[in-house]
Amino acid sequence: MSIGQIFDDVQRSSVGHKSLIKRLKRLEGIPEFDEDIKQCIFRLLEVAKAEAAGNRLVKFLTLYMQDADASSPTTSAILLALLPYLSAKDKTARYRATQIVSQILGVLSAIDDELYGAIRNELIRRLHDKVPAIRLEAVTALGRLVESEMDDNPDEKDSDSDSDYEAGLLEKLLDVLQNDSNADVRRALLLNLPITPTTLPYLLERARDRDAPTRRALYSRLLPKLGDFRHLSLSMREKLLRWGLRDRDEKVRQATARLFSERWIEDCANTKDHANETQLDGEQQSEQPEKPIAEASIPALLELLERIDIMNSGAEHGVGLDAMREFWASRPDYVDAVNFEDDFWDNLTAESAFMARTFIECCQQDPATQAKLEDKMPEVTRIGFYLQKNLNNLLDTIRAINDGTRPDDDQVDQEFIVEQLLHIAHHLDYTDEIGRRKMFSLLRDAISVAELPEESTRLAVEALRLVCNADAAGEREFTAVILEAIAEVHDTITPSEPEVPDNEEDSFVSARSEVSSEPASDTTPTRTNPNAANVPKQRKASSGKPKPTTEEEEAKALKEIVINLKCLHIAQSMLQNVTGNLQSNIHLESLLNNLVIPAVRSYEIPVRERGVLCLGLCCMLEPKLAEENAPLFVHCLARGNEGLQVMCVKILCDVLLSRGRSSASEDAALDLAPFVKGLRSEYGEVQSTAAGSLGKLMLCGFYSGNEAVFDEACEVAIGENAKGAELLSKVRAAVQVEAAQEAAVVAGADGDAGAAVAAPEKRQKSSSKRVSAESRVE
């Protein structure tokens, strides 16, 4: 059989290639062997990429060269013959030549230095070829070359010419990895570049690649090949989880979840095996064979949580919650292995507390695991005792830190543990009356402690609302308890023997500046003083005391501001958890008059801002109050700082959303002047918030009947080049398309009165579905 007949048979089928290679090797000694091979390859260069016969020929040549001697004349002759075609004008010839060279280089163990340099230079030129398929073959070949260069020069940092030679190629490939327009080219480099400390940051950048398969390749192929995830930096672990678990592509999220719950946990479970591994030191770690899945190990899970810095990633919107949600759903063996005995609760750490919290939350959402949760969880009373113990530890730690006897780091750990226990309290069954009373008393006392951090206070307020009944009576009880707690916190400002002028009453909140001569508000009530009859006598007795120093006055004023902010934060947390009418609840009305309004009138900026926020929450509960205070919010939007302006825009938007589409009068157009003013603000965040608010209003049905004012606002956003203007325009276009579709449906009903009546109802129902459940001010 001649060489031509062999190549003819190769094109027909991939079956029998091995036998044809043996026949071709028998012909190696005949005259003109190299010339005949080259002639067959030249014919292959004319075969288009889509032709299967051409791909079979390339595969056959690769298998043949795999068994050939790297220094054989045939190998060198083929590569030399292909060199001119790497820069041919015909794109088919360039593609086939680059493809064949790439495949041959992938199987050769050595090559002549002069030939190697010529091929390398030609392939570098192909990195900028206009045909993506040619660039793909070039980067595949060069990825192998740069790896071999690193293997030949392991100490490249100490080398001069070799280091520059290698760095030049690596730099070019990294540039292609970052900037090539073709996703296949970037993905090929991602999977072919060697993993070194130099290349690793560029490879991990592909987690934000615009191509979903490339991002998926990183999580499903590159990162498992990387080895122990603990070689990565702490910030990079957190970023990879956050980018992957919140990716817009479902397959990327699934790949990230598998990486976390199958590979990373196994790295921690097989710690003793990893003890013998060396850390990443500049050489690519070889891909290890799959290890058997280790048995469920709670210590390994706790280590994994520590490795992703759970105290930061486990916060309110941290990625730790997403990661553990996927973990519990995919690892039933770990669900069975969890055990909440007394030792567990007595020796809580940040990691174990977070593990318990996520376990309880995930099990409650899955009916299949609810029975297991009931068997593992202690009763509510015991949880209350554990919470009380950790609350006391936290408060003792805070006081010790204030005294300078303990470091600040201790508070961070204790605070995180308390927060997780309060999250757990949100998911307990309070039908147990003994446990409910225990939690009620504990939470009420915790809220009234001024030193308790704000996040813990917020969670305690939310838990207390769940402990109280869900009806109106339970809400009144809840607000009464919170008001008592606020009074106790505020009492820490007033000394035991108050020294006040005869004509000034002891107000519930003193949010006025020391230099203010403004009289107290008429709505500010007085607190009954049981020792009122003795006040003049106390003043006379103390008149001989020295006047306080400037430092003491400043410390007192600062403490007053801090306590007022704490009281307002408790009020804010309460207002975010009530739904009743403000006028029907005397406690809410008292809170408004005695705390919120004086805070809004305060000369202290932080107090005034938080007072405005609480006032906005009160307006959500009382439409009449919202109408009366709308000018105040507009004034703050015009004169306030950036934070206050953002807050007022949100308040005005939420007030409109809470009142619904009926708030827009049939006769008068909707007043969007405050939002237009926000679009013209000098602050980008205010512009973005105003644009987002207008978009929400349009999506919630306010556009219909108010097209002119919304269109004018959109034109202002575009004309001012406001931040968020592009998104606002897209929302308006989507709303207009939806309105046109609904009008077409109504018009196509052939005058059917029922369809004409149903259209507004359908539109109203569609709008109500888009209304966010979170209608309160954040």
Side-chain angles (χ1 to χ4, degrees), residues 111 258 346 368 525 673:
I111 191 173
R258 285 195 300 270
D346 290 334

Side-chain angles (χ1 to χ4, degrees), residues 279-316:
Q279 292 191 352
L280 197 63
D281 57 357
E283 295 184 359
Q284 179 182 2
Q285 294 187 354
S286 59
E287 188 173 358
Q288 300 295 330
E290 288 288 334
K291 297 179 180 179
I293 297 178
E295 294 183 1
S297 171
I298 299 303
L301 178 56
L302 297 179
E303 182 189 352
L304 176 59
L305 293 176
E306 181 183 2
R307 296 289 183 177
I308 63 172
D309 189 18
I310 203 60
M311 283 198 295
N312 289 319
S313 62
E316 186 68 20

